[in-house]
Amino acid sequence: MTVLLGPSHIAMVAKGVSAIVASRDAALRPSIMRAVGSHISGDGQEVTVYLRRSQSEQLLQDIAHTGEIAVVFSVPSTHQTLQLKARRATQRPAHDGDLPVLQAYLQSMVQEVGQVGYGPQYVAAMLAAPLQDVVAVSFTPTSAFDQTPGPRAGAELCSPPTSPSPPTPQP
């Protein structure tokens, strides 16, 4: 199944909202950690989340062994929530080229979390991550779900059905 994230979903993730990353080990024991940054390609086909290695050892190990990842992106002030899943996540150390993404994410989260009453110092402490401790985990979503509380919570997002082409006029 091809996942097609609509422009509003891509914009939500691109803005920089709360991101919680999860996986599991071979015995199905879950591992979970807050991301310190995220990025999505303009077409929604590649997502990268950034984790602190020192805080995410089990999660990174589980992703490395299973390839599986689930990420929940949520807007703190509205609880609008999107979950993405994949089976082939890859990892690499973060590098200087990732700094603008991490800094933009921090600034967005200062604004987002500020709307629910937490100041910049709280957010800075929550997302503090020396670059040498950061791992970039990238994946192509294979499934996506609306997890916003309400009647559609849990609904899978799929590619919209293709419309049949209009009939070609015959001469």
Side-chain angles (χ1 to χ4, degrees):
M1 172 188 323
T2 300
V3 173
L4 180 62
L5 297 176
S8 64
H9 291 115
I10 294 169
M12 181 186 108
V13 174
K15 178 179 178 183
V17 298
S18 178
I20 305 296
V21 183
S23 190
R24 55 122 182 131
D25 66 12
L28 304 180
R29 286 183 298 260
S31 52
I32 187 168
M33 183 54 60
R34 172 175 296 284
V36 296
S38 68
H39 179 265
I40 188 168
S41 62
D43 62 3
Q45 293 298 304
E46 183 177 43
V47 177
T48 301
V49 290
Y50 296 87
L51 297 166
R52 284 196 68 172
R53 181 184 323 278
S54 60
Q55 296 176 342
S56 308
E57 290 180 21
Q58 186 63 53
L59 175 59
L60 291 167
Q61 182 180 7
D62 291 346
I63 293 169
H65 286 111
T66 67
E68 294 183 1
I69 188 170
V71 183
V72 175
F73 295 95
S74 187
V75 179
S77 62
T78 66
H79 300 292
Q80 177 187 3
T81 305
L82 170 70
Q83 181 185 45
L84 302 178
K85 293 183 178 184
R87 296 189 175 273
R88 291 192 176 123
T90 61
Q91 301 178 31
R92 65 167 174 78
H95 51 71
D96 289 342
D98 294 308
L99 279 174
V101 171
L102 294 168
Q103 291 166 347
Y105 182 84
L106 174 61
Q107 290 309 307
S108 178
M109 284 291 286
V110 163
Q111 290 183 358
E112 290 293 328
V113 177
Q115 292 181 45
V116 294
Y118 293 92
Q121 295 84 4
Y122 174 84
V123 178
M126 178 175 71
L127 299 177
L131 190 60
Q132 65 272 18
D133 190 32
V134 177
V135 176
V137 182
S138 299
F139 62 95
T140 297
T142 55
S143 57
F145 302 87
D146 180 348
Q147 296 294 7
T148 303
R152 289 199 33 84
E156 187 167 11
L157 305 175
C158 303
S159 299
T162 55
S163 322
S165 301
T168 307
Q170 298 294 327

